[in-house]
Amino acid sequence: MLKEFCAENFTDIPAAIAKGVKRIELCDNLTVGGTTPSAGVIENAISYAHDHGAQIMTIIRPRGGNFVYNDYELKIMETDLVEAKKFGTDGVVIGCLTEDGWLDEEALEVLIDRAVGLQITFHMAFDAMHTEMQYEAIDWLAERGVDRILTHGGPAGTPISDNYQHLRELISYANGRLMILPGGGVNFENADEVAEMLGVTEVHGTRIVDI
């Protein structure tokens, strides 16, 4: 099982890798759900991870709050993605929505185009979508080569076990076209149970290993 560690900046990356972590979602400001870290953090986290056999997924998110971005914010995201790619990031973590809760197709197509050659994760903006839209979103994202969707499967703050049924439905619908990556409330104590209950091979969390 692959345990993806959600890191706030560089601080805990060495300890997480020492505990066996092979992939890291690199963020700043986890109190607001994660924003893009500084160029220095990205560059040095990638260098350290690659020297120690781990991958870096850099979040591309200009601020906390909702996932509806204006043209200036989208340009910021595009620039940050290009810079992270130059530093050698293995992948990026993105998510953009429209005011009515659907995928911001135009913005996502620009970012996906910029991310050619990288892994792409659609982040928990997915959980802000109406449930009935999520299945169509899986279709759209899979068709454009997105590798995985990070989701809690239900409202933030709920135990992930409460969301097993919906997560199973999403996994079944995705049918291997992309990966449904469970996160939010997954930790080193329950990761094995979550993986077994959902039949997944990857899990995500800020406490996915005991450091």
Side-chain angles (χ1 to χ4, degrees):
M1 180 172 63
L2 188 148
K3 296 180 178 180
E4 181 178 273
F5 176 64
C6 183
E8 184 172 66
N9 294 313
F10 181 82
T11 308
D12 292 328
I13 287 177
I17 291 175
K19 286 283 187 172
V21 164
K22 297 298 183 186
R23 194 172 71 218
I24 293 157
E25 182 190 19
L26 182 64
C27 305
D28 196 359
N29 299 312
L30 286 181
T31 55
V32 298
T35 59
T36 306
S38 73
V41 167
I42 296 171
E43 183 178 27
N44 285 279
I46 291 168
S47 177
Y48 186 92
H50 288 180
D51 284 347
H52 293 82
Q55 295 184 331
I56 294 287
M57 300 288 295
T58 305
I59 195 169
I60 305 298
R61 187 177 177 217
R63 56 165 172 77
N66 67 24
F67 305 101
V68 180
Y69 301 110
N70 62 39
D71 289 345
Y72 295 103
E73 291 170 326
L74 291 170
K75 290 300 292 183
I76 290 167
M77 295 167 77
E78 187 178 355
T79 299
D80 285 344
L81 193 158
V82 170
E83 290 304 302
K85 191 173 183 179
K86 288 179 184 175
F87 288 134
T89 192
D90 299 284
V92 291
V93 184
I94 60 175
C96 310
L97 302 178
T98 60
E99 291 282 0
D100 59 359
W102 175 242
L103 302 173
D104 186 337
E105 296 182 8
E106 184 178 353
L108 287 168
E109 284 175 345
V110 170
L111 296 176
I112 290 168
D113 182 65
R114 291 293 195 181
V116 168
L118 303 178
Q119 299 176 56
I120 302 175
T121 298
F122 190 88
H123 60 50
M124 285 185 178
F126 187 78
D127 293 340
M129 303 182 74
H130 296 300
T131 301
E132 61 271 17
M133 290 182 172
Q134 292 180 341
Y135 300 95
E136 190 177 350
I138 289 173
D139 294 336
W140 194 95
L141 294 166
E143 287 168 5
R144 285 154 183 82
V146 171
D147 296 281
R148 61 187 70 87
I149 296 171
L150 174 62
T151 174
H152 183 58
T158 57
I160 196 160
S161 56
D162 288 358
N163 305 324
Y164 281 164
Q165 184 56 40
H166 184 51
L167 285 164
R168 288 190 191 103
E169 291 169 1
L170 295 172
I171 291 164
S172 176
Y173 187 81
N175 194 28
R177 292 175 294 156
L178 50 67
M179 176 166 288
I180 301 298
L181 176 62
V186 185
N187 55 51
F188 64 89
E189 295 175 321
N190 68 2
D192 290 336
E193 175 198 313
V194 171
E196 182 179 352
M197 295 298 292
L198 297 177
V200 296
T201 57
E202 299 184 4
V203 290
H204 167 102
T206 58
R207 297 178 60 244
I208 207 71
V209 288
D210 186 13
I211 57 174

